[in-house]
């Protein structure tokens, strides 16, 4: 059975969120077991110096404090690793990803865990997965020169090993919702 990681990034948690409605429809159409993470309802912390140091510390020599700092990141990585398909519902805010989605990206990018550097350059370790991104663009055409979210997310997902990435305009999945 397909396991789906469903992520919503819109700060709009009401029934008027087009990206949330679109990602929910995608997940329902795919079917399978679902792990859900709402980045607005349970905000993720921004990374800081101690966290960045902890992620570079050899797991065998990490302190209890380092392990605690990485606990949420470990959980997020495990969710992505367990998924066959990752569905992300996100708006474009100010031409790019919402801060909540960027925080998720920062927490999941872990050397020796989700990527590694080899003699041939970076190698993603979360392979064999598909990502489908439902984008509510508010007038910025998805994939256009003004859409920095799509290119950033495609490069990022590829960096961690997810190269089968599909972007869908949320308005093509669900009709505009009344405010």
């Amino acid at each position: 059975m397909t396991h789906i990681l469903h992520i919503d990034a819109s700060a709009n948690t009401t029934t008027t969120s087009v990206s949330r409605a679109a990602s929910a429809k995608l997940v329902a159409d795919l079917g399978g077991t679902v792990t859900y993470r709402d980045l607005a309802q349970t905000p993720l912390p921004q990374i800081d110096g101690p966290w960045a140091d902890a992620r570079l510390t050899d797991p065998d020599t990490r302190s209890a404090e380092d392990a605690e700092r990485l606990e949420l990141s470990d959980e997020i990585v495990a969710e992505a690793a367990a998924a066959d398909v990752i569905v992300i519902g996100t708006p474009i805010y100010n031409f790019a990803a919402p801060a909540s989605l960027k925080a998720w990206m920062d927490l999941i990018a872990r050397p020796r865990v989700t990527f590694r550097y080899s003699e041939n350059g970076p190698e993603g370790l979360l392979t064999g997965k598909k990502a489908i991104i439902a984008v509510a663009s508010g007038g910025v055409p998805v994939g256009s020169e003004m859409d920095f979210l799509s290119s950033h997310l495609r490069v990022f997902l590829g960096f961690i090993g997810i190269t089968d990435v599909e972007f869908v305009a949320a308005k093509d999945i669900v009709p505009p919702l009344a405010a």
Side-chain angles (χ1 to χ4, degrees):
M1 176 177 273
T2 301
H3 184 83
I4 302 164
L5 172 58
H6 178 187
I7 299 169
D8 276 325
S10 177
N12 179 357
T13 59
T14 70
T15 58
T16 62
S17 172
V18 175
S19 67
R20 286 174 181 273
S23 67
K25 179 159 182 2
L26 285 170
V27 169
D29 289 350
L30 286 169
T33 61
V34 179
T35 299
Y36 182 66
R37 183 166 288 275
D38 187 331
L39 302 179
Q41 297 289 355
T42 309
L44 299 175
Q46 301 295 309
I47 61 170
D48 59 14
W51 183 91
D53 290 342
R55 76 185 169 99
L56 295 175
T57 303
D58 185 306
D60 295 332
T61 62
R62 280 188 190 134
S63 67
E65 292 83 13
D66 285 344
E68 186 176 328
R69 283 184 184 100
L70 296 174
E71 197 170 86
L72 177 59
S73 176
D74 289 340
E75 181 181 320
I76 289 169
V77 168
E79 289 172 355
D84 301 303
V85 179
I86 299 172
V87 174
I88 301 173
T90 184
I92 293 177
Y93 288 163
N94 302 313
F95 309 104
S100 61
L101 184 56
K102 179 63 169 76
W104 179 83
M105 294 163 67
D106 288 342
L107 289 171
I108 201 170
R110 298 270 302 277
R112 301 180 313 272
V113 178
T114 58
F115 70 92
R116 67 177 169 212
Y117 291 105
S118 70
E119 56 280 347
N120 298 321
E123 177 185 349
L125 302 176
L126 294 180
T127 59
K129 300 173 188 318
K130 178 176 179 65
I132 306 170
I133 320 302
V135 181
S137 63
V140 173
V142 175
S144 73
E145 187 175 288
M146 295 186 303
D147 168 11
F148 297 104
L149 175 135
S150 296
S151 59
H152 183 203
L153 204 46
R154 182 180 305 281
V155 168
F156 175 78
L157 291 169
F159 181 75
I160 62 172
I162 304 168
T163 57
D164 185 357
V165 180
E166 177 183 353
F167 289 89
V168 188
K171 67 181 179 61
D172 293 342
I173 301 170
V174 296
L177 305 171

